Amino acid sequence: MAGVDWLWILHPFLAVVLVYPLVGVVVRLAVQTRARRLQKQNLPVTVGRDHSDLGRWLAAAVVIVVLIALSVVIGTKVPVAEFKGGLGRAIQLLLVLVGTIVSLLALWRCKRPGLRLAFSLITWAGVLGLGAQPEVWRLSDNPLTPAFWQSHYWAGVGVTGLMLFSLGARAEILRDIRMRRLHVTANVLAALLFLTQGLTGTRDLLEIPLGWQKSTIYACDFNAKTCPSLDPNAQP
């Protein structure tokens, strides 16, 4: 594997060792928090706070891992000399990336509801803006097609938005029963999307060849599921 190939597996590596363990812990604490609130179990008073604190870390980790994935795909899809738009576009995309990270940090520290909403939307818009670049592969952009709902990218964008909602509305969720119910609904959906991401991410890893294999693999006809025959006299 070349260096670029290691960069391409950085996103799934971080998802496996960081995001999914956090998902398990946060879900477990969520169940305990609800059980304690309903007085079904005698649990420590700290479970709610632990759930909220780790939920913040989960939301931030999801955004960062997604940004890493998008940055690697955009930055390594083609050689630097062939990068569409040249230096000007590269600088623009870098500014979007930096602005998205700054917005996430501001959301993490901000207390005022209006600013939290604004920074949540700005962060998500940054993710969507980077994801809309032509270097980012998507099965489909049409929600009326089955391929759209099987897309690893769109499920990832969706779960990122749900995580940003939970992070931005954290204070309201703690004190408003209606927001708490919305939070539960949103995170049940997020849990389903995380399961989907595990499946589609594994599928996509099988379809991504190593750098030195791409010229041969991409010569295949993916619709007909055929590849050109290799010259048996060619040197390996």
Side-chain angles (χ1 to χ4, degrees):
M1 289 177 63
V4 67
D5 299 315
W6 287 105
L7 286 176
W8 274 68
I9 66 171
L10 181 59
H11 164 70
F13 167 74
L14 292 174
V16 169
V17 302
L18 178 62
V19 173
Y20 279 89
L22 273 175
V23 170
V25 175
V26 170
V27 170
R28 174 60 176 165
L29 288 171
V31 172
Q32 291 182 334
T33 300
R34 179 167 176 76
R36 185 181 183 279
R37 186 176 294 119
L38 297 176
Q39 298 182 344
K40 290 184 177 181
Q41 295 184 34
N42 185 18
L43 294 165
V45 296
T46 57
V47 293
R49 183 184 62 200
D50 292 342
H51 167 67
S52 179
D53 290 345
L54 284 177
R56 295 180 73 205
W57 284 105
L58 172 61
V62 168
V63 176
I64 293 299
V65 170
V66 169
L67 290 176
I68 288 173
L70 295 174
S71 301
V72 169
V73 170
I74 294 171
T76 64
K77 187 72 172 182
V78 297
V80 175
E82 300 176 17
F83 186 73
K84 186 178 179 180
L87 180 62
R89 177 169 174 255
I91 292 175
Q92 289 179 342
L93 293 177
L94 181 60
L95 289 175
V96 173
L97 175 62
V98 172
T100 304
I101 295 173
V102 171
S103 179
L104 176 63
L105 293 174
L107 173 61
W108 183 276
R109 299 181 62 86
C110 190
K111 303 298 183 182
R112 296 175 59 182
L115 290 177
R116 282 189 277 110
L117 173 62
F119 286 127
S120 296
L121 293 175
I122 292 171
T123 304
W124 199 34
V127 172
L128 289 171
L130 292 172
Q133 303 308 306
E135 292 85 358
V136 180
W137 182 72
R138 302 177 291 276
L139 284 177
S140 173
D141 289 333
N142 184 359
L144 299 180
T145 62
F148 176 89
W149 301 101
Q150 300 169 25
S151 174
H152 184 73
Y153 166 78
W154 284 113
V157 166
V159 79
T160 301
L162 293 172
M163 292 293 99
L164 286 170
F165 160 72
S166 295
L167 182 57
R170 179 172 177 258
E172 288 72 23
I173 291 168
L174 292 174
R175 62 172 179 260
D176 190 327
I177 185 64
R178 291 172 299 179
M179 289 295 295
R180 194 175 299 145
R181 289 170 179 167
L182 181 59
H183 170 68
V184 170
T185 302
N187 282 278
V188 168
L189 177 58
L192 294 175
L193 287 176
F194 275 121
L195 290 175
T196 302
Q197 287 296 87
L199 176 62
T200 58
T202 304
R203 176 204 64 197
D204 288 356
L205 280 176
L206 292 174
E207 297 178 350
I208 300 174
L210 297 176
W212 61 270
Q213 299 171 336
K214 289 182 178 181
S215 59
T216 300
I217 298 298
Y218 289 157
C220 298
D221 185 334
F222 292 95
N223 293 322
K225 297 182 181 179
T226 59
C227 292
S229 59
L230 299 176
D231 183 0
N233 296 319
Q235 293 295 323

